[in-house]
Amino acid sequence: YDFSANICSSLTLPDLDEDAQKRLRSILYESSLEDSCNTASTEKLLNLFNGRKVSEGLTYTTLILLGSPRAKHSYVTTNEVMVEDRRKNVSVTKFNLPLVTGLDTVAKFVCQKACSEDVAGYDYSVIRELLLNACIHKDYLSPGQIRIYIYDDYIDMENPGGLPIGVDINMVLSGYRYPRNRMLARAVRTIGLTRGGKGLSHVMMTCIRQGRRIPEFSVSECGLFRSRIHKGREFGRLCGFFEKIDIELN
């Protein structure tokens, strides 16, 4: 069952966020360098990933990618991302943005909030990739939002829905693809929102090259998929080794 492929019967073109549409055109232009990306009609752009003709209805994939905060709150109430800082002074910030603009907004917020003046704190691309992964694999029919908890030495990212039946953590880490929302996953690749489309492989290699601990992944008894991202660089020599190789190759 692919929730993201279903038609959201009440969703119409005016429900789509204007800034998200502009950002989509910019992403497509950056990847293709074709001026048509800036002049094409909204309907033509949506045909790239909506999964069916716009005249037949807009899907939840379109809502998740481009829906305005009001529309998303009305048609998929579990779409928020909650960021909770659990250090000295606890604070909670909620985001309900279209994925096209919200992905970078939330990732930057978390990185800046968690790192403060610590330059080696966290890698932005790792946080961004894990957040995107959470959005693609989230069970949008389950209660609860994607939650990000900031602690002194690590960040926990929790995603409702757990893993599909028959899939375990080892399969995920070995590269097995199991997108719960298959149409949304294809759309993300089609429009170029993902960086390389390598998901956890990108996360692992980035951490190794930077001398960071590899994130820990687990599934709780209540069905939450958790990613734990550790702060700082613990393996400086390994980082220097990769930097030396890069210099020699370039």
Side-chain angles (χ1 to χ4, degrees):
Y1 176 75
D2 183 0
F3 170 81
S4 65
N6 290 337
I7 289 179
C8 181
S9 58
S10 301
L11 185 65
T12 60
L13 292 178
D15 289 322
L16 304 184
D17 186 81
E18 292 186 3
D19 289 336
Q21 293 182 60
K22 292 178 182 177
R23 178 56 184 151
L24 173 61
R25 293 179 186 276
S26 176
I27 294 173
L28 293 174
Y29 177 76
E30 290 171 3
S31 62
S32 67
L33 297 180
E34 294 183 7
D35 292 331
S36 59
C37 296
N38 295 318
T39 58
S41 66
T42 300
E43 290 86 346
K44 187 173 182 179
L45 291 180
L46 294 182
N47 285 335
L48 292 174
F49 56 81
N50 188 59
R52 60 192 72 199
K53 294 180 180 179
V54 173
S55 59
E56 297 176 359
L58 301 178
T59 60
Y60 280 97
T61 287
T62 295
L63 174 64
I64 294 168
L65 287 173
L66 298 175
S68 67
R70 181 192 59 78
K72 296 182 78 174
H73 181 73
S74 299
Y75 307 137
V76 55
T77 57
T78 62
N79 194 67
E80 289 184 335
V81 176
M82 187 195 77
V83 180
E84 182 174 336
D85 189 342
R86 290 190 168 181
R87 293 172 295 184
K88 291 183 179 179
N89 298 314
V90 177
S91 63
V92 178
T93 306
K94 294 182 178 180
F95 297 89
N96 187 24
L97 301 170
L99 184 57
V100 167
T101 54
L103 177 61
D104 288 308
T105 298
V106 176
K108 288 177 182 178
F109 176 85
V110 171
C111 203
Q112 292 172 358
K113 187 87 170 175
C115 292
S116 60
E117 297 179 0
D118 186 354
V119 178
Y122 297 95
D123 181 81
Y124 165 74
S125 69
V126 168
I127 293 176
R128 183 186 188 276
E129 192 66 38
L130 289 176
L131 177 58
L132 178 60
N133 189 70
C135 292
I136 291 174
H137 296 287
K138 182 184 186 303
D139 183 354
Y140 288 94
L141 295 177
S142 295
Q145 306 86 9
I146 293 172
R147 295 173 178 264
I148 302 174
Y149 300 106
I150 302 174
Y151 297 93
D152 288 330
D153 299 317
Y154 60 87
I155 294 173
D156 274 348
M157 190 178 299
E158 295 182 349
N159 178 30
L163 295 173
I165 298 175
V167 178
D168 58 31
I169 294 294
N170 290 329
M171 294 172 68
V172 174
L173 297 180
S174 64
Y176 178 80
R177 293 188 177 183
Y178 65 100
R180 174 176 277 111
N181 299 289
R182 296 183 295 279
M183 182 179 289
L184 178 60
R186 288 195 299 271
V188 163
R189 291 194 299 270
T190 298
I191 67 177
L193 197 58
T194 182
R195 296 183 173 178
K198 297 182 180 179
L200 294 184
S201 297
H202 165 79
V203 169
M204 300 297 191
M205 287 307 302
T206 298
C207 290
I208 291 173
R209 293 179 69 86
Q210 294 183 1
R212 302 178 186 275
R213 287 178 62 182
I214 291 175
E216 299 172 11
F217 303 100
S218 61
V219 179
S220 70
E221 293 182 357
C222 58
L224 292 174
F225 183 86
R226 180 180 294 116
S227 304
R228 175 163 294 181
I229 314 163
H230 297 278
K231 187 176 184 179
R233 304 185 183 189
E234 299 188 12
F235 310 103
R237 291 184 178 181
L238 186 61
C239 178
F241 171 74
F242 280 110
E243 289 178 348
K244 183 178 179 181
I245 291 178
D246 287 338
I247 293 174
E248 291 178 352
L249 291 176
N250 296 325

